[in-house]
Amino acid sequence: MPQHLLIENIKSLYGITNPATDKKSGSQMSELNSIENSWIYTKDGIIQSFGKMYDETHQSLSAILQKEPNLTRINANRQFLLPSFVDSHTHLVFAKTREEEFVMRIKGKSYEEIAAAGGGILNSAAKLQQMSEDELFEAALQRLYEVIGYGTGAIEIKSGYGLTVADEIKMLRVINRLKHVSPIPIKATFLGAHAFPAAYKNNREAYINLIIKEMLPIVAQEKLADYCDVFCDQGFFTVAETDLILKAAANYGLKAKIHGNELGYTGGVQIAVQNHALSVDHLEYTGDDEINCLKNSETMPVGLPNCSFFLGIPYAPARKMIDAGLPFCLASDYNPGSSPNGRMGFVISLACTQMKLTPEEALNAATINGAFAIELSKTHGSIAIGKIANFILTKPIPSLAFIPYNFGNDCIDTIIVNGKVWIKPN
Ligand code: NIG
Ligand code: FE
C-alpha cells in the first residue's frame, strides 16, 4: 500500500530549491525560498508536490484530495515546515563521555595539553577498545535516535576512536550496522588518522603504514566507508602525512574529508583542495590564503561552532568566507571531547550569534550545504520535488528567526522521516 501524506495549513514552507541545486554559495545563502499558507504532498516518502492553500483555482490540492482518499492528513495549524538538517560531520560512535577532561580544561589545561598527555582522542580510544561491537552499536543507536529527534534527517559518522586495525574495523562495522537499521541515510567516514597511538609516538611512519597497508585494504575490501578523513593539524598529522594517506585512500576510491585548521594555520585547507576533498572541516584558523584557495575549488568549507563554544577557541570566520562568495556549511561535530551535543538547532544559534550568519544563511548551511558535503544533495537538504520527505514541523513560533533566537530550545513539534511521523523507538 503506498503511503500518502498531506500536510496542510503550513504558515510558511521554507527551504524550497530547484531539484538541481546542489549547494548555495555567497549571496545565494541569504535566499531561503518559501511559500506562505501552503501544503505539501508526499508519496512513499518522496515529495510529489506543494503549493498554496488558497490559490485562485485551488486546483492541485483539490485534485490530490479527490485522487487519494486514503491520505494521511496533518494539519500544521499554521506552523512552519523546514527541510530536516543534514549533519555532515559527527563522531557519534564512542564508548564513554569525557567530562573529567572538561573539568581539567575549566581548571586551565588546554585541549592540546590534555591530548599530548595521552588524554583526548587516545582516552576515547582506550575506552572504545574495551567495549564490544554490540555495546557500541546499542549506545550509538540511541544517540542516532536522539539526533533524529532534534531534526537531523541525514548524517555522516566517522571512525577514529579505534586506532588499531581491529578497533577501527569494529567502529566501521558499527556504523554499517547503523546504516542498515537507520531511518535516515548515513555516510561512513574512515578516520584511522585521528591521532597517533602512544606506541607509535616515536615511529609515526609505522602508524601511517598501518593505515595505508593494513586498514585501508580491509576498509575497501569490505566496503566499510564512503570517505577517508585525516586530522591534519599541529600535534596530529602533518600535511605530508595527510597527503600520503589521502592519496592511498583515493586509490581505493575513497574521497577525502579533512579535519583542518582547528589549532593553527597548518596547511590543512590547501592539502584538502589539492586532494579534491569533498569538505574541509573546522577552519577556526582561516585567513586570506585559505579563502583564496577554497575559491578555486569544489571543496565545501564546514564550520563546527559547537567545538569553538565548548573548547573556547576562535570561531571559523564564516562571515568572511560567505562575503568572499564561498559556500559555507554547518555541522555538529557530535563527539565526547569537543562537542558532546548533537543538536543542530544549537549549532545554528551559535552560527547566528557568534559567526554573524543570518537565520536564512545558517539554515542553508545546515541543510542544502550539509547535503553537498556528504553527496546527498539530490535527495536531501531542501524542499524539492523528488527529494526524500524528511521535515521539521515547528511549534507555534512567530517567525523563522525565532528558531536560532530561542537558543537551546529547538522549537520542534513534529519530525517527519520518509513521509511518516517519526516516533522514537523504545
Ligand atoms: O572534530 N579535532 C579532532 N577531532 C574531533 C574531536 C575528537 C575528540 O576530542 O575526541 C573534533 O573536534
Ligand atoms: Fe570532528
Side-chain angles (χ1 to χ4, degrees):
M1 269 281 277
Q3 294 265 352
H4 301 269
L5 173 72
L6 177 68
I7 306 178
E8 303 164 273
N9 288 319
I10 301 166
K11 184 170 178 179
S12 202
L13 178 62
Y14 271 107
I16 300 167
T17 64
N18 182 307
T21 301
D22 60 352
K23 66 177 172 192
K24 293 203 173 187
S25 306
S27 58
Q28 296 167 339
M29 289 190 65
S30 311
E31 298 159 11
L32 193 68
N33 294 338
S34 63
I35 304 179
E36 287 188 0
N37 301 328
S38 45
W39 54 269
I40 186 163
Y41 168 56
T42 76
K43 184 172 158 192
D44 289 337
I46 309 286
I47 301 172
Q48 304 293 319
S49 50
F50 45 84
K52 258 191 155 348
M53 290 298 292
Y54 304 107
D55 64 5
E56 266 151 39
T57 56
H58 205 184
Q59 260 174 359
S60 27
L61 184 55
S62 325
I64 293 166
L65 290 169
Q66 273 166 23
K67 209 172 94 204
E68 308 295 353
N70 294 325
L71 279 176
T72 301
R73 293 173 75 168
I74 294 179
N75 187 342
N77 287 319
R78 308 238 346 108
Q79 297 316 322
F80 298 96
L81 188 142
L82 313 164
S84 296
F85 298 121
V86 178
D87 191 352
S88 66
H89 181 142
T90 83
H91 309 248
L92 70 67
V93 177
F94 59 85
K96 293 269 156 37
T97 54
R98 302 213 308 256
E99 58 275 21
E100 67 290 348
E101 292 181 2
F102 167 67
V103 176
M104 285 162 77
R105 284 194 294 101
I106 293 169
K107 293 184 177 164
K109 285 259 183 294
S110 75
Y111 180 79
E112 285 158 283
E113 282 167 346
I114 293 168
I121 296 165
L122 297 186
N123 177 3
S124 277
K127 286 170 176 158
L128 185 133
Q129 289 163 5
Q130 303 299 312
M131 208 157 154
S132 74
E133 186 182 309
D134 286 348
E135 285 173 303
L136 277 171
F137 170 77
E138 281 309 324
L141 184 62
Q142 290 312 313
R143 288 182 205 118
L144 179 68
Y145 288 155
E146 175 202 348
V147 298
I148 294 172
Y150 299 154
T152 294
I155 197 165
E156 181 258 17
I157 309 176
K158 300 173 196 295
S159 70
Y161 291 131
L163 307 185
T164 69
V165 179
D167 293 298
E168 280 298 307
I169 299 304
K170 177 170 82 179
M171 277 193 86
L172 288 170
R173 290 208 176 109
V174 168
I175 301 171
N176 279 270
R177 279 173 68 183
L178 292 172
K179 279 191 183 187
H180 283 106
V181 299
S182 173
I184 65 167
I186 298 176
K187 292 286 179 111
T189 300
F190 168 56
L191 177 56
H194 201 186
F196 284 93
Y200 292 89
K201 217 171 164 182
N202 299 315
N203 192 359
R204 297 166 70 99
E205 208 184 324
Y207 188 61
I208 309 275
N209 275 332
L210 193 75
I211 292 173
I212 293 178
K213 300 206 170 113
E214 296 194 39
M215 295 184 191
L216 270 173
I218 305 174
V219 172
Q221 168 89 34
E222 296 190 22
K223 295 192 170 41
L224 289 172
D226 301 291
Y227 309 121
C228 179
D229 196 340
V230 178
F231 188 8
C232 177
D233 227 317
Q234 56 200 30
F236 292 85
F237 290 76
T238 65
V239 166
E241 291 163 347
T242 303
D243 196 39
L244 270 179
I245 295 166
L246 294 183
K247 292 219 159 47
N251 283 335
Y252 287 106
L254 295 176
K255 290 186 188 168
K257 286 178 78 63
I258 299 189
H259 280 72
N261 295 51
E262 175 186 355
L263 306 170
Y265 295 96
T266 46
V269 170
Q270 288 81 352
I271 205 64
V273 169
Q274 273 174 40
N275 282 280
H276 308 284
L278 262 178
S279 71
V280 55
D281 304 26
H282 271 289
L283 302 174
E284 286 83 352
Y285 290 86
T286 298
D288 292 340
D289 288 350
E290 285 76 16
I291 290 179
N292 286 331
C293 176
L294 284 163
K295 268 191 189 165
N296 301 311
S297 82
E298 279 293 296
T299 301
M300 174 64 74
V302 181
L304 309 168
N306 274 8
C307 174
S308 302
F309 170 79
F310 194 68
L311 297 186
I313 63 175
Y315 286 82
R319 183 72 269 146
K320 202 171 161 189
M321 288 189 245
I322 296 171
D323 290 345
L326 289 176
F328 188 73
C329 169
L330 289 164
S332 75
D333 198 17
Y334 192 5
N335 78 75
S338 65
S339 174
N341 188 315
R343 269 180 205 267
M344 287 296 284
F346 187 62
V347 172
I348 61 166
S349 288
L350 283 178
C352 294
T353 58
Q354 307 301 308
M355 295 170 151
K356 306 299 172 203
L357 266 61
T358 64
E360 289 81 1
E361 288 172 330
L363 280 160
N364 276 317
T367 55
I368 188 69
N369 285 356
F372 182 90
I374 50 174
E375 299 182 293
L376 287 177
S377 295
K378 284 198 171 71
T379 49
H380 293 79
S382 70
I383 303 294
I385 290 170
K387 286 200 179 188
I388 304 286
N390 287 0
F391 312 137
I392 294 169
L393 258 174
T394 68
K395 288 191 172 136
I397 54 172
S399 65
L400 183 84
F402 189 86
I403 300 173
Y405 161 88
N406 195 215
F407 73 91
N409 185 347
D410 293 333
C411 307
I412 295 173
D413 181 80
T414 306
I415 300 288
I416 306 289
V417 176
N418 301 318
K420 287 184 229 150
V421 173
W422 187 74
I423 297 161
K424 184 173 176 271
N426 287 319

